Amino acid sequence: MNTDLNNIAHLCGTVESELKYSHDIFGESFYVFRLKVERLSGQADVLPITVSERLMHEEISEGQRLCVDGQVRSYNIVHENKSKLVLQLFAKEVYLAESGLPDENSIYLQGFVCKKPIYRVTPFSREITDLLLAVNRAYGKSDYIPCITWGRTARYAANLKIGDRVQLVGRFQSRAYQKQLPDGTALNKVAYEVSVSRLSTVRD
């Protein structure tokens, strides 16, 4: 089975930050930058992209219009004895956007529900269900990807069980929020997740 087909991402947008060195793996250097992708609503998602030096056929610079094909990946970082799940888009191809091409943000995932879905209703009466999806990739590894569903899809997702296999289409989004600290102050933070537009169960 080709695990690459479990996780397909396509973004087009504007480079929002300078390219920064991240890390080396087996002598191959990786860099990170942020890509700003406009939504139809006029809001924008500013998303972290990791790219290998092998894919940078020309310099990536702020203000450039780029398309990125790749996968949503997760990893854990430990800070002050607490583990935090971090999401990024791992680039497999990077290329200049054609002139006049609108911003694009498309994610396809297929994986397994690995945590009990959390259903809630906001103060504005919006129905939401949060899912955590385990998406398999090569060499026995998995990415754990938080997903958020809305309305009728949220009601459907609320009834899913741990171990159910699902496929979904959505977008990779950033969401600003405030974390309340013990001293009463608030810290501005950004969460990354997949906002789901279509979801269905996969039967073997």
Side-chain angles (χ1 to χ4, degrees):
M1 179 180 177
N2 186 353
T3 53
D4 280 354
L5 299 180
N6 292 340
N7 188 335
I8 301 170
H10 173 70
L11 303 179
C12 288
T14 304
V15 177
E16 181 83 346
S17 68
E18 295 180 356
L19 197 70
K20 291 184 179 179
Y21 170 79
S22 175
H23 61 279
D24 272 10
I25 297 179
F26 302 120
E28 182 178 355
S29 296
F30 290 84
Y31 295 81
V32 294
F33 66 94
R34 297 192 179 274
L35 192 72
K36 181 180 180 181
V37 184
E38 298 279 354
R39 301 183 193 175
L40 293 176
S41 65
Q43 290 183 295
D45 297 297
V46 180
L47 304 167
I49 313 292
T50 297
V51 58
S52 164
E53 60 183 349
R54 294 185 299 104
L55 300 180
M56 295 189 296
H57 306 302
E58 58 182 272
E59 185 178 348
I60 294 174
S61 57
E62 198 169 344
Q64 211 171 26
R65 294 277 300 159
L66 288 182
C67 293
V68 181
D69 294 333
Q71 296 182 325
V72 180
R73 296 274 181 91
S74 71
Y75 61 96
N76 278 302
I77 58 172
V78 178
H79 179 65
E80 296 179 350
N81 295 322
K82 292 183 179 179
S83 182
K84 179 185 176 185
L85 187 71
V86 177
L87 286 195
Q88 61 183 4
L89 195 132
F90 182 82
K92 294 199 166 187
E93 191 173 355
V94 177
Y95 49 97
L96 292 175
E98 294 179 13
S99 178
L101 186 73
D103 286 12
E104 298 179 19
N105 187 339
S106 177
I107 306 293
Y108 169 83
L109 299 175
Q110 185 174 141
F112 299 88
V113 177
C114 61
K115 186 178 179 182
K116 181 178 171 56
I118 299 173
Y119 173 85
R120 54 198 164 94
V121 179
T122 73
F124 297 102
S125 299
R126 296 195 73 182
E127 294 177 280
I128 295 173
T129 296
D130 296 306
L131 295 174
L132 186 64
L133 210 63
V135 179
N136 294 335
R137 58 174 152 113
Y139 308 111
K141 294 184 178 181
S142 296
D143 293 292
Y144 296 91
I145 301 174
C147 304
I148 185 168
T149 61
W150 313 85
R152 183 166 54 183
T153 305
R155 292 195 294 274
Y156 176 82
N159 294 312
L160 293 171
K161 304 290 190 294
I162 294 174
D164 282 349
R165 186 178 174 192
V166 300
Q167 59 184 3
L168 61 85
V169 174
R171 73 169 186 269
F172 187 27
Q173 73 173 18
S174 60
R175 176 172 52 84
Y177 69 99
Q178 287 191 326
K179 181 180 179 180
Q180 297 296 320
L181 300 178
D183 63 4
T185 60
L187 183 65
N188 293 324
K189 305 197 73 166
V190 179
Y192 301 101
E193 61 206 356
V194 171
S195 178
V196 178
S197 55
R198 296 200 310 273
L199 172 72
S200 60
T201 306
V202 178
R203 305 296 180 190
D204 293 328

